[in-house]
Amino acid sequence: MRTDQIVESGPTGGMVTRIVRADVEDAADDVIHEVAAILRGGGLVAIPTETVYGLCAAAQSHRAVKAVFAAKGRPSHNPLIVHVSGLEMAGSIGELGPLGHALAARFWPGPLTLVARRRPHARVADEVTGGGTTVAIRLPASPLMRQIIDAAGPLVAPSANRSGRVSATSAAAVMDELGGRVPLILDGGPSPIGVESTVVDVTDAPRLLRPGAISPECVAAVVGPLAARGSVVEGPLRSPGLLSSHYAPRAALRLDVPAQDVRPDEGWLALGDAASAAGSARTVRLSMGCDLAEAARGLYAGLRMLDGTGVSVIAVSPIPAEGIGIAIRDRLLRAAAPRPVSASSTCGADTAAEPAAHEEATGP
Ligand code: TXA
Ligand code: MG
């Protein structure tokens, strides 16, 4: 192992969690070898991708996949994405069909996940798909992730956070979420996109299951009009009460709040440069110039930072529902949804799976 590693133990006092720096574009061979050996042996490693950090395990190992669900506190019926390093590997796991192939040709490698019919003899543990007949597949852009998959085989990689909580876009955030639950975190710096992949179901008419960096318009430009699941994709905010809670900080969220309506005791997640009553100590500016890609990159870190100030409510600027702004609004709506009664007390605690109401809304 290289000398630039940092050794820390996680906050739960369980297993020791090491953080090892890795060059995402050109990782050292010994890092790749060590990580692949852990994964092939059924262990877990948190690895950066271009979207968010993933909690990775060998997709064909029942034991490893079960360990992922346990480490996250994730309900076992919420299926995982299988990450592959090439189109051939993808085709051995799911039938992409003409729609899937067209989208793969345009957007892979990149922040797009395709839900396809699972091949009967796919080398994927049943726990990955919750025993279902479909499988979610992604070919990530990150060279580091693809090198590791080349060496270790297909990997499941849910976002590296406790179930229901804010996703991690830095090694330090993974440590906060999963320290003591995972032996190794690769530190590849801040995630360049900052929100999870766009998920499109191609088993039938193309259907958007989760907005992401690749906008619905860009997907529709390749496969035609999309059926949307849920109604968070466009238009005015609906009642968050219709959504299940996810991506949630400890503080409550108040959405679409103009600067002049922010209260002095609130935190403020701001788009633009206007001043508010929150003051600078409790303000995180996602983008001074209202650049939505920049806002997406800072979204989860901003929520974590404001949580760290101890505020009980975070007010959020209006975010335009265009491009990656659609994904930002989707995550904020879910983060603002009513929490299960036990959520604030169980998040980060040593508990078993959280209530079903706390799962991600894109699951089958
Ligand atoms: O960007 C990403 O996709 C990140 C990085 C680490 O690659 N991963 C990620 O995984 O966001 P996760 O597990 O946090 O989210 C996977 C989403 C969930 O909403 C899950 O319900 C959905 O994909 N999903 C997985 N398999 C599915 C299936 N067979 N049918 C429908 N939805 C599925
Ligand atoms: Mg997630």
Side-chain angles (χ1 to χ4, degrees):
M1 184 50 66
R2 297 187 321 176
T3 51
D4 58 358
Q5 70 183 43
I6 308 158
V7 179
E8 292 183 45
S9 80
T12 60
M15 71 172 72
V16 171
T17 298
R18 286 184 305 147
I19 299 180
V20 172
R21 293 198 188 94
D23 183 337
V24 171
E25 298 298 324
D26 183 22
D29 286 347
D30 58 349
V31 171
I32 303 286
H33 288 150
E34 180 185 350
V35 169
I38 294 173
L39 292 166
R40 281 198 304 266
L44 310 185
V45 182
I47 303 174
T49 82
E50 72 275 22
T51 55
V52 297
Y53 277 65
L55 177 61
C56 299
Q60 63 192 52
S61 163
H62 296 277
R63 181 164 62 90
V65 172
K66 281 186 192 158
V68 166
F69 280 101
K72 280 183 61 85
R74 174 157 166 149
S76 60
H77 52 79
N78 190 4
L80 304 175
I81 299 171
V82 180
H83 292 62
V84 297
S85 58
L87 202 53
E88 201 178 316
M89 197 185 276
S92 74
I93 290 167
E95 292 169 34
L96 299 183
L99 289 177
H101 278 288
L103 288 170
R106 174 70 184 82
F107 297 115
W108 276 0
L112 174 72
T113 295
L114 297 173
V115 172
R117 273 179 233 292
R118 182 189 160 142
R119 291 211 185 271
H121 301 296
R123 286 165 63 209
V124 167
D126 281 344
E127 291 83 357
V128 172
T129 56
T133 56
T134 62
V135 60
I137 308 172
R138 175 159 112 80
L139 174 51
S142 159
L144 171 66
M145 184 72 170
R146 280 188 281 141
Q147 269 179 286
I148 294 170
I149 296 169
D150 275 338
L155 301 177
V156 293
S159 50
N161 53 277
R162 295 278 292 156
S163 184
R165 289 260 306 142
V166 179
S167 301
T169 52
S170 67
V174 179
M175 184 60 116
D176 281 350
E177 292 288 320
L178 297 172
R181 295 173 185 274
V182 57
L184 180 60
I185 300 169
L186 290 189
D187 181 354
S191 310
I193 293 178
V195 292
E196 303 79 355
S197 60
T198 304
V199 182
V200 179
D201 183 341
V202 292
T203 56
D204 200 347
R207 180 174 290 267
L208 181 71
L209 299 185
R210 179 175 71 183
I214 297 171
S215 70
E217 292 75 23
C218 291
V219 176
V222 177
V223 293
L226 294 174
R229 179 166 178 180
S231 64
V232 293
V233 176
E234 271 158 344
L237 293 182
R238 294 202 326 167
S239 163
L242 298 176
L243 298 166
S244 57
S245 167
H246 213 85
Y247 312 103
R250 287 187 171 76
L253 291 192
R254 217 158 63 81
L255 303 182
D256 279 343
V257 182
Q260 65 273 16
D261 294 347
V262 177
R263 301 177 193 135
D265 59 342
E266 289 179 324
W268 190 31
L269 197 59
L271 189 69
D273 58 3
S276 84
S280 58
R282 288 193 308 283
T283 297
V284 169
R285 293 197 187 276
L286 292 176
S287 170
M288 294 285 276
C290 298
D291 178 305
L292 293 178
E294 185 186 9
R297 272 198 295 282
L299 175 68
Y300 292 135
L303 289 171
R304 286 175 187 280
M305 230 180 282
L306 289 172
D307 245 358
T309 67
V311 291
S312 53
V313 179
I314 298 171
V316 185
S317 287
I319 308 285
E322 59 192 46
I324 201 169
I326 295 170
I328 299 174
R329 288 172 65 83
D330 167 78
R331 304 308 189 271
L332 288 168
L333 263 176
R334 294 182 201 282
R339 319 279 164 83
V341 178
S342 58
S344 56
S345 56
T346 60
C347 280
D350 246 334
T351 52
E354 289 164 20
H358 212 201
E359 75 196 81
E360 294 184 17
T362 59

